[in-house]
Amino acid sequence: MRLTTWNVNGIRNPFGYAPWNTNRTFSSMFDILQSDIVVMQELKIQRKDLRDDMVLIDGWDCYFSLPKAKKGYSGVGIYTRNATCAPIKAEEGVLGVLSPPGATTKFRDLPDAEAIGGYPSVTQIAELGVDPEVLDSEGRCVCLEFPAFVLFGVYSPANSNGLRDDFRYGFLCALDCRIRNLIKAGKNVVLVGDLNVSRDEIDTANGDEERIKAGLSHKEYISTPNRRVFNQMIIGGEVVEPRDEGREDSIMWDIVRECHPDRKGMYTHWEQKINARPGNFGSRIDFVLVSKAMKDWVREANIQEGLMGSDHCPVYSEFNDIVPFQDANGQTTDRHMLDLMNPSGYFKAGTRLKDWSIKNVPVFSGKLLPEFDKRRSIKDMFKRPVNPPPTTSTTNGIADKPAPFDRKTPEATNIHGGSNNNSASQDPATQTSPAPIQSSSSPGVKRKASETPAPKGVKRQKSNGQSTQVKLTANKGQQSLKGFFAAKTAPSPTKPADTNTVASDSAAANGHQDVVTNAIPTDAPTFMDFPNRPSTPKKEQDHNHHTSPHSINDDKTSIVSPTKPDPPPPPSPSAYSTDGSVHDPIAAKDSWTRLMSKPAAPLCEHGEPCKTMLTKKKGENQGRSFFMCARPLGPSGAKEKNSQWRCATFHWCSDFKK
């Protein structure tokens, strides 16, 4: 079981970098992270900006806390893999003053069976000094409860040059109060996210220099209000005595630092304005904290500084398969992690007993939002619906099955539509007398509808002495774009063949003569195939279409067969080409490719293709494109020669020639 937290600096921002830009889907991103729970911060979207590919992810559930007022600001989202974990409760905010979607009751006012609990009291909220509605409405916290622990995914307010220090301090105090209340209630807690505070000088690249420039001693540095609240929460955090009231005990492990206690340069955030990441000039402000009883649950915890896509890097923690768990009665037993990460009855000893269902997710799930509820994913749209089996009527317990169509059945080939079955030849034992016809005027008797309608006979054709012309199939013309580029060749004329169609043996069985018709094959050239064919005089047409009827015994029906038309003359090459030239599609394709393709980028001093940039600075060159070295700037912040960093290569795109 792996849990990953990542400040993505915009929910779609990672897709502009490798390896996320290969597939550009969230499911592929989660597979690369190899995580079962993914907590994202700083989504920078509002609820109206959510799209299907963010919410309707096959095999994943999602929960969002998005800002209610500010646009493109903050935002937290948690994705859970349905195959391994399913929360039993979900909430938004730290103080519980918001309401579930479509409801008016606040989270903190819900019944105990539906609420996560641990909410700060009215007195504790008043001591924060901030508006509780504003604190929970900025999209900074999502809280999920599993049977194993309560998960907080948070995005703490930044320093903002000291403009919101009071709000930032109030948020950290509210978070500390809520977590302590839950631990007192006997629940395990996991806190992950961007807390925007560092523990000590080791967690900042220039911590000592900043402290000296500010004229602070070490004790004063670790005693700043936000850092003091944070260190009093962490086990092993350095705190100047005496500790604050209500924070006498440390309750959380900084599990990444516990796995790497002496590692320097373990930073999770780098300033983009000075391109500080290549030189690893950053700070560690993204954490995975677990409650005191969960330290032995963790198998491994680390940062993934090699994964690009944001000014932060992912931080993960991996849990053991079997963990010691203390139940409500105080008894500690070894339990499988899958049993503890799903509702009761879903898993037993790591084996699934019940499938995940959308009906069992908390009401705060993103898939239950009105704009996404009862919606299908893109993959489901292409699945063929399962048609129900056809219903059959039964009589005396025996299903009536329709008889298969037999092409050799005499009734199907008789041109008169009559039956060839002779009633005299039938076995008398199998003959049944018709039922007596009941009068519809008889009282109390209803007429029954016929279950099987009587077969209709073939309609006779009127014999008026006129010939029947056979319709010629029209040329369908060009069927694809490929035919436009193909070289035109004159087809060789084919002589129409005679096809004698003989009626079936059923006509002979009834004493009728065989009917012979002269038909034109479908592959014979038609009049539309030869546009230059001379027209035939009307008298000649009348002579060619003269036919004589053939009588069939005493029947008055006559079947007329047209005479075979004369073969048309072969078409001339001028019908297809005026100058005899042939269009070469390969040459045309090469010409269009050279005309429409982008010019190849020049090479920089490293022998690598340059990247294209656009001038945004106001002036005479605003809007002009230019080529420059694609490598990042070095730690010096200037272009360098004969180094691995960005060189001084520069070309205006308009001046560069291939």
Side-chain angles (χ1 to χ4, degrees):
M1 179 70 62
R2 173 176 284 198
L3 184 151
T4 300
T5 176
W6 190 13
N7 184 321
V8 293
N9 194 22
I11 189 170
R12 294 195 182 276
N13 187 53
F15 294 134
Y17 301 82
W20 326 111
N21 57 1
T22 303
N23 293 323
R24 294 179 178 270
T25 61
F26 288 95
S27 58
S28 300
M29 175 192 293
F30 301 154
D31 291 340
I32 294 175
L33 292 173
Q34 299 179 354
S35 184
D36 300 289
I37 302 176
V38 180
V39 184
M40 293 183 177
Q41 303 91 39
E42 207 169 355
L43 302 181
K44 294 185 177 181
I45 59 172
Q46 290 182 297
R47 177 173 168 177
K48 64 181 182 63
D49 301 322
L50 290 173
R51 296 294 180 263
D52 290 2
D53 63 329
M54 304 176 188
V55 180
L56 303 178
I57 304 176
D58 190 25
W60 290 81
D61 197 9
C62 55
Y63 304 86
F64 298 99
S65 176
L66 304 176
K68 306 298 186 294
K70 293 185 178 181
K71 298 180 180 179
Y73 181 75
S74 67
V76 176
I78 299 182
Y79 290 88
T80 59
R81 190 188 296 269
N82 299 333
T84 56
C85 57
I88 56 178
K89 300 175 185 177
E91 294 181 2
E92 176 184 11
V94 179
L95 303 177
V97 297
L98 301 180
S99 302
T104 57
T105 305
K106 299 179 180 180
F107 286 112
R108 61 184 300 119
D109 297 333
L110 293 174
D112 294 340
E114 301 178 11
I116 295 178
Y119 308 103
S121 62
V122 178
T123 304
Q124 291 173 330
I125 293 177
E127 294 176 354
L128 298 177
V130 295
D131 187 356
E133 294 285 346
V134 176
L135 190 143
D136 277 0
S137 299
E138 287 196 356
R140 297 191 176 277
C141 179
V142 174
C143 182
L144 303 182
E145 182 175 0
F146 301 89
F149 53 79
V150 177
L151 172 64
F152 285 91
V154 301
Y155 172 54
S156 178
N159 189 10
S160 301
N161 298 324
L163 299 178
R164 303 190 73 192
D165 278 348
D166 293 340
F167 185 83
R168 181 187 182 192
Y169 180 76
F171 180 86
L172 291 175
C173 290
L175 191 62
D176 176 80
C177 181
R178 178 81 183 273
I179 293 175
R180 290 181 182 275
N181 291 344
L182 287 171
I183 293 178
K184 289 179 181 179
K187 295 184 178 181
N188 296 322
V189 178
V190 176
L191 172 62
V192 301
D194 179 7
L195 298 180
N196 269 313
V197 60
S198 58
R199 287 182 52 183
D200 206 338
E201 288 93 342
I202 193 176
D203 295 317
T204 306
N206 59 343
D208 292 333
E209 296 179 5
E210 289 184 355
R211 178 178 59 81
I212 294 174
K213 288 181 180 180
L216 300 176
S217 63
H218 175 71
K219 291 184 178 181
E220 293 174 339
Y221 178 80
I222 62 175
S223 298
T224 55
N226 299 319
R227 188 171 288 111
R228 179 177 175 84
V229 173
F230 185 58
N231 281 334
Q232 289 182 97
M233 184 190 304
I234 297 175
I235 299 174
E238 187 174 359
V239 181
V240 178
E241 299 293 342
R243 301 173 71 96
D244 298 342
E245 183 180 357
R247 303 189 180 104
E248 292 82 7
D249 298 328
S250 300
I251 54 176
M252 307 290 286
W253 287 102
D254 181 4
I255 202 64
V256 178
R257 177 56 70 187
E258 290 298 320
C259 293
H260 309 276
D262 301 325
R263 179 179 173 183
K264 295 182 179 181
M266 189 171 59
Y267 306 135
T268 63
H269 170 259
W270 302 268
E271 186 64 42
Q272 285 184 326
K273 294 181 180 179
I274 60 175
N275 196 25
R277 189 162 188 172
N280 195 25
F281 190 80
S283 59
R284 188 172 75 97
I285 58 177
D286 301 88
F287 296 90
V288 176
L289 308 180
V290 299
S291 56
K292 186 181 298 185
M294 294 180 61
K295 182 180 180 181
D296 296 335
W297 292 24
V298 179
R299 176 190 305 167
E300 181 187 2
N302 205 341
I303 65 173
Q304 295 177 290
E305 68 275 16
L307 291 178
M308 309 297 289
S310 172
D311 55 345
H312 294 249
C313 74
V315 183
Y316 73 91
S317 176
E318 191 168 350
F319 298 95
N320 295 317
D321 294 336
I322 306 297
V323 297
F325 181 73
Q326 184 177 1
D327 56 16
N329 299 326
Q331 297 180 356
T332 302
T333 56
D334 291 341
R335 299 284 302 276
H336 200 284
M337 197 63 182
L338 293 178
D339 299 354
L340 300 176
M341 294 300 294
N342 291 271
S344 177
Y346 275 64
F347 279 86
K348 183 177 181 181
T351 303
R352 179 175 286 277
L353 303 178
K354 183 179 179 181
D355 292 335
W356 179 89
S357 175
I358 189 65
K359 299 179 181 179
N360 300 326
V361 301
V363 295
F364 185 57
S365 171
K367 292 187 175 181
L368 297 183
L369 293 174
E371 54 266 39
F372 298 101
D373 189 17
K374 298 180 181 179
R375 291 272 302 278
R376 297 181 301 169
S377 63
I378 297 178
K379 183 181 294 185
D380 294 336
M381 294 180 182
F382 292 94
K383 292 182 179 179
R384 179 178 297 178
V386 180
N387 296 327
T391 58
T392 58
S393 60
T394 58
T395 304
N396 298 329
I398 302 176
D400 297 335
K401 297 183 179 180
F405 176 75
D406 189 1
R407 295 185 181 273
K408 297 182 180 180
T409 305
E411 290 82 359
T413 57
N414 191 348
I415 61 175
H416 295 287
S419 174
N420 291 334
N421 296 333
N422 191 356
S423 60
S425 62
Q426 294 181 356
D427 189 1
T430 61
Q431 296 181 3
T432 58
S433 59
I437 301 176
Q438 297 179 354
S439 175
S440 60
S441 60
S442 301
V445 179
K446 295 183 179 180
R447 179 183 298 176
K448 294 184 179 180
S450 176
E451 296 182 358
T452 305
K456 297 182 179 180
V458 179
K459 187 176 181 180
R460 292 184 177 182
Q461 298 179 356
K462 295 182 179 180
S463 175
N464 52 4
Q466 297 180 357
S467 62
T468 304
Q469 296 183 359
V470 180
K471 295 184 179 180
L472 300 177
T473 58
N475 186 12
K476 295 183 179 180
Q478 180 178 320
Q479 298 297 319
S480 64
L481 189 61
K482 184 177 180 181
F484 177 78
F485 294 98
K488 297 180 180 179
T489 58
S492 59
T494 58
K495 184 177 181 180
D498 296 340
T499 303
N500 296 332
T501 305
V502 183
S504 61
D505 296 339
S506 60
N510 291 331
H512 300 303
Q513 295 179 356
D514 295 340
V515 181
V516 181
T517 60
N518 295 328
I520 299 177
T522 57
D523 57 348
T526 63
F527 292 103
M528 298 184 66
D529 293 333
F530 309 103
N532 296 333
R533 184 178 186 272
S535 59
T536 305
K538 183 176 181 181
K539 293 182 179 180
E540 185 179 352
Q541 292 180 3
D542 296 339
H543 176 73
N544 291 338
H545 291 291
H546 178 70
T547 57
S548 59
H550 300 272
S551 60
I552 303 177
N553 288 350
D554 297 335
D555 196 352
K556 301 299 181 180
T557 304
S558 62
I559 299 178
V560 181
S561 60
T563 59
K564 180 174 62 178
D566 296 335
S572 61
S574 60
Y576 298 94
S577 175
T578 57
D579 55 356
S581 61
V582 179
H583 176 71
D584 189 358
I586 299 178
K589 180 180 178 181
D590 294 340
S591 300
W592 281 104
T593 301
R594 290 193 300 269
L595 180 63
M596 304 301 295
S597 61
K598 296 176 61 177
L603 302 180
C604 66
E605 296 178 0
H606 303 97
E608 301 174 355
C610 294
K611 64 179 180 180
T612 306
M613 303 294 290
L614 185 67
T615 306
K616 297 182 179 180
K617 185 178 180 181
K618 293 184 178 180
E620 59 181 4
N621 292 325
Q622 185 178 11
R624 293 187 65 184
S625 300
F626 60 90
F627 294 107
M628 63 178 296
C629 181
R631 293 195 178 189
L633 285 173
S636 63
K639 300 176 182 178
E640 303 176 4
K641 290 186 177 181
N642 301 326
S643 68
Q644 60 178 339
W645 308 112
R646 182 180 298 172
C647 62
T649 302
F650 180 88
H651 299 284
W652 290 110
C653 294
S654 58
D655 299 338
F656 177 73
K657 297 181 180 180
K658 297 175 63 176

